[in-house]
């Protein structure tokens, strides 16, 4: 209380001197008097003085300890991540490179088949069998690309994705043109698979060779045979409206899996909409 009254009296005295000094000088004088009074009260009390000095010493000693740490854990730098040290399991760089080329060839076919499916699904083309067939091929090529990607990663390699360009002319005009292009795509992919297998055998990589032969080659031969048969049929029947309709129906009935049947999906969606509209 005594301290409070002393400060209050000092403030009162400063307020009386407003006519003599400016307001800024009053504030500065007030802070000067207050700080001087606080210092006098602190250092006149031995307990406060002892507490402040001990607290200051403890802070300085703590700072000194933190700066004088010589342990190896403090001085060592963390390891670089990624480390760059790949355990590639005897995975030759040439084989890794050609597998990446095969991966990107699968993505190219994936892109082409998507273009074909979208063309035959157009309103002015309306061939659901061809649309479903190429959408099915699109999904198969995507699955193949993912399998190559996973294999390269499993062997400790690095996946390199290249830019994939779409077809120069995406107006396929007729089913025969699209199926001829698809046949050539399958032949090119098969040739690349043979090249990959040759590189695997060159470096005695039995695992890679087995992966190519057992996982892809037989299915690839079946795809080429299937495409060649469809090209033969289209070349024989021509491009008349009725022939195109019958060919499209045959493709939908015999070459397309049920989960890729566009007509079934549309009918299923339409039936769901009808059920929703019923009261």
């Amino acid at each position: 209380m005594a301290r409070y009254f002393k400060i209050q009296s000092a403030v009162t005295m400063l307020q009386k001197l407003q006519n003599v000094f400016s307001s800024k000088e009053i504030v500065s004088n007030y802070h000067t008097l207050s700080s001087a009074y606080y210092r006098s009260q602190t250092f006149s009390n031995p307990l406060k003085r002892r507490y402040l000095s001990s607290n200051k010493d403890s802070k300085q000693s703590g700072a000194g300890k933190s700066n004088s740490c010589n342990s190896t854990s403090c001085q060592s730098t963390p390891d670089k991540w990624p480390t760059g040290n790949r355990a590639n399991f005897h995975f030759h760089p040439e084989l890794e490179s050609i597998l990446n080329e095969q991966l990107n060839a699968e993505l190219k076919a994936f892109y082409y088949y998507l273009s074909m499916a979208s063309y035959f699904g157009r309103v002015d083309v309306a061939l659901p069998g061809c649309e479903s067939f190429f959408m099915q091929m699109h999904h198969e090529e995507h699955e193949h690309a993912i399998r190559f990607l996973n294999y390269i990663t499993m062997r400790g390699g690095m996946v390199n994705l290249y830019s994939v360009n779409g077809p120069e002319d995406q107006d396929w005009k007729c089913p025969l043109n699209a199926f001829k292009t698809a046949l050539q795509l399958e032949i090119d992919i098969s040739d690349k698979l043979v090249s990959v297998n040759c590189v695997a055998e060159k470096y005695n990589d039995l695992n890679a060779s087995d992966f190519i032969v057992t996982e892809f080659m037989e299915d690839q031969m079946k795809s080429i045979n299937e495409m060649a048969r469809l090209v033969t049929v289209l070349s024989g029947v021509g491009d008349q409206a009725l022939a195109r309709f019958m060919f499209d129906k045959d493709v939908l009935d015999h070459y397309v899996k049920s989960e890729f049947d566009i007509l079934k999906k549309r009918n299923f969606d339409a039936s769901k909409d009808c059920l929703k509209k019923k009261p």
Side-chain angles (χ1 to χ4, degrees):
M1 292 296 292
R3 177 184 173 185
Y4 172 77
F5 286 118
K6 288 181 180 180
I7 294 175
Q8 189 66 28
S9 61
V11 172
T12 304
M13 182 181 66
L14 289 173
Q15 289 177 350
K16 291 180 180 180
L17 295 175
Q18 285 182 354
N19 296 328
V20 180
F21 301 102
S22 63
S23 59
K24 291 183 179 179
E25 291 175 342
I26 293 172
V27 173
S28 62
N29 290 333
Y30 169 74
H31 287 298
T32 302
L33 290 173
S34 299
S35 60
Y37 176 77
Y38 176 75
R39 285 197 301 270
S40 64
Q41 291 296 317
T42 300
F43 288 99
S44 63
N45 191 338
L47 294 177
K48 287 185 178 180
R49 187 168 62 250
R50 187 181 305 170
Y51 170 75
L52 291 174
S53 61
S54 62
N55 192 20
K56 183 178 180 180
D57 294 338
S58 63
K59 288 182 178 179
Q60 290 178 352
S61 62
K65 287 181 180 179
S66 61
N67 292 331
S68 61
C69 179
N70 295 322
S71 63
T72 56
S73 61
C74 294
Q75 294 178 354
S76 62
T77 57
D79 293 335
K80 181 182 177 183
W81 189 90
T83 61
N85 299 323
R86 291 184 289 144
N88 56 14
F89 317 123
H90 305 290
F91 195 38
H92 197 275
E94 184 180 353
L95 181 58
E96 179 184 346
S97 176
I98 199 169
L99 279 170
N100 273 294
E101 292 178 7
Q102 183 66 39
L103 165 62
N104 286 276
E106 302 285 350
L107 290 175
K108 177 185 175 182
F110 157 85
Y111 214 44
Y112 270 64
Y113 289 141
L114 182 61
S115 172
M116 295 174 187
S118 64
Y119 171 80
F120 291 112
R122 280 166 39 179
V123 176
D124 58 335
V125 180
L127 292 176
C130 294
E131 179 188 3
S132 302
F133 178 81
F134 285 116
M135 188 60 70
Q136 176 178 285
M137 295 299 297
H138 159 78
H139 281 276
E140 287 182 3
E141 296 304 327
H142 178 262
E143 181 185 351
H144 291 172
I146 295 300
R147 285 160 70 181
F148 275 104
L149 184 147
N150 291 335
Y151 182 79
I152 294 170
T153 305
M154 184 269 291
R155 289 294 302 271
M158 184 172 64
V159 173
N160 292 315
L161 297 178
Y162 311 144
S163 59
V164 180
N165 297 321
E168 294 181 0
D169 185 8
Q170 300 193 37
D171 185 6
W172 296 100
K173 297 179 177 61
C174 65
L176 180 60
N177 184 31
F179 277 91
K180 280 185 176 180
T181 304
L183 175 60
Q184 189 59 48
L185 279 173
E186 295 299 322
I187 292 173
D188 292 342
I189 289 175
S190 298
D191 291 340
K192 287 183 179 296
L193 285 171
V194 173
S195 300
V196 173
N197 187 56
C198 289
V199 174
E201 291 179 347
K202 175 182 175 182
Y203 295 105
N204 297 322
D205 196 325
L206 300 180
N207 184 266
S209 180
D210 179 70
F211 172 71
I212 295 297
V213 173
T214 59
E215 296 287 335
F216 295 100
M217 289 305 298
E218 184 177 357
D219 291 339
Q220 202 63 35
M221 295 301 106
K222 289 180 179 179
S223 295
I224 292 175
N225 182 274
E226 186 177 86
M227 289 290 184
R229 287 175 178 272
L230 293 173
V231 169
T232 301
V233 172
L234 282 171
S235 300
V237 300
D239 196 36
Q240 300 298 321
L242 181 59
R244 183 186 295 187
F245 172 78
M246 295 301 296
F247 172 81
D248 186 74
K249 186 177 184 303
D250 183 68
V251 169
L252 187 62
D253 292 340
H254 298 98
Y255 292 91
V256 177
K257 297 177 182 178
S258 59
E259 60 265 28
F260 296 104
D261 191 332
I262 299 297
L263 290 181
K264 286 184 178 180
K265 287 185 177 181
R266 289 172 183 168
N267 293 334
F268 179 72
D269 293 338
S271 62
K272 286 199 302 183
D273 293 338
C274 291
L275 291 174
K276 289 180 181 179
K277 292 179 181 179
K278 287 184 178 181

